[in-house]
Amino acid sequence: MLTIKNFGVCKVSVAPVRLEPSDSSEIVTQLLFGDAVQVLEQGQPWIKIRFESDGYEGWMDFKQLRYLEDNEHLNYLQSPTVYLHDRFLEITGPLGKQLLMMGSRLPNFDGKSIRIGNDTYTFEKLPTIESNNLILTALEYLNAPYLWGGKSVFGIDCSGFTQNIFKLHGKQLPRDASKQVFEGKEISFEERQVGDVPFFISAKGIVHHVGILAEKNQIIHAAGYVRIDPFDQKGIYREDLERYTHVFHSIRRFS
């Protein structure tokens, strides 16, 4: 019998986390394989969880976690933080064959397998666990469809995109653009360089969109799908729509 405990790790490729305990509730974010959470409220089929990495909270199906004892959880958090840089990679574990996606955490990685609690997973081929080029990492998401709350190559939103990219390059960001805008340091428009992070505001003056400079005058971002568009001091210009779609607010540097 599956027993809910105080801590858990996502054991499926990707799991939706919802605003309310209902399948009809909106997805606010997603867990990728290996993401660790604290269980705030226990129930079946819904549990309320908090991400260990960024403090984000929401509701998910209790069956999608591998639960850990307190000492296993502590060991998990103290294990080296290693993430998958391959777009997709197959593993074999207690559930059989699974497909992991870029950004998945590889707990207790020993060079050829990973472990969650007493469960061992082996790779069909060895994973790529590092990359020096942030923009090449971002380009792996090119054409991924936009999904509110998404964090995978099958669906991602603007802040999930930037959070994933910088996580893979050693910088943990908050989940939402409205919080990411307070990270790093603000730079002037003239100082901008590849890899810097522009933010954009709504008609109400609220930061609601974010992307990464692929070139000084080009931005890669999730809007309909992950795409590259012209960028200037007014904002993002969509050539296919022949208009500006996002109003520039500021640029920040996270490195």
Side-chain angles (χ1 to χ4, degrees), residues 144-147 156-159 161 209-211 220-227 246:
Y146 182 89
L147 174 67
I156 198 162
D157 63 21
C158 65
S159 56
F161 174 68
H209 191 68
V210 62
I220 182 168
H221 64 130
Y225 52 93
V226 177
R227 52 182 291 126
H246 297 84

Side-chain angles (χ1 to χ4, degrees), residues 15-23 25-31 39-51 56-62 64-65:
V17 178
R18 300 182 183 276
L19 181 64
E20 302 291 343
S22 167
D23 282 321
S25 179
E26 70 175 278
I27 296 173
V28 293
T29 191
Q30 291 178 326
L31 290 173
V39 178
L40 301 179
E41 295 184 33
Q42 298 186 8
Q44 294 186 15
W46 297 101
I47 56 172
K48 189 174 186 181
I49 57 94
R50 176 188 293 131
F51 277 67
Y56 218 73
E57 297 181 5
W59 295 85
M60 68 178 294
D61 189 319
F62 82 107
Q64 295 174 328
L65 294 181

Side-chain angles (χ1 to χ4, degrees), residues 124-242:
E124 296 296 313
K125 58 176 285 190
L126 292 182
T128 303
I129 60 171
E130 59 183 357
S131 172
N132 294 324
N133 193 307
L134 184 139
I135 300 304
L136 287 180
T137 301
L139 289 173
E140 289 293 323
Y141 287 90
L142 201 62
N143 296 317
Y146 182 89
L147 174 67
W148 178 270
K151 290 178 67 176
S152 85
V153 293
F154 292 116
I156 198 162
D157 63 21
C158 65
S159 56
F161 174 68
T162 52
Q163 188 186 49
N164 272 7
I165 300 305
F166 280 94
K167 176 183 74 175
L168 287 165
H169 289 268
K171 171 69 174 178
Q172 181 64 54
L173 297 177
R175 178 60 179 87
D176 296 332
S178 60
K179 300 288 181 61
Q180 291 178 5
V181 73
F182 297 107
E183 296 292 309
K185 66 175 181 178
E186 185 172 356
I187 62 169
S188 69
F189 184 82
E190 292 72 21
E191 292 178 293
R192 73 193 186 283
Q193 62 186 31
V194 172
D196 287 339
V197 181
F199 291 87
F200 305 86
I201 53 174
S202 67
K204 296 182 179 180
I206 298 171
V207 171
H208 72 136
H209 191 68
V210 62
I212 301 171
L213 290 185
E215 298 288 347
K216 291 186 70 173
N217 297 314
Q218 287 187 329
I219 186 170
I220 182 168
H221 64 130
Y225 52 93
V226 177
R227 52 182 291 126
I228 296 175
D229 286 306
F231 163 76
D232 60 29
Q233 205 159 1
K234 289 179 64 176
I236 298 174
Y237 186 78
R238 284 281 297 261
E239 293 179 331
D240 54 338
L241 302 178
E242 299 183 337

Side-chain angles (χ1 to χ4, degrees), residues 33-34 80 82-84 100 104-109 114 123 127-129:
F33 179 91
V82 178
Y83 294 107
L84 182 67
L100 301 191
S104 299
R105 184 171 176 179
L106 308 181
N108 299 295
F109 178 61
I114 57 178
F123 294 98
T128 303
I129 60 171

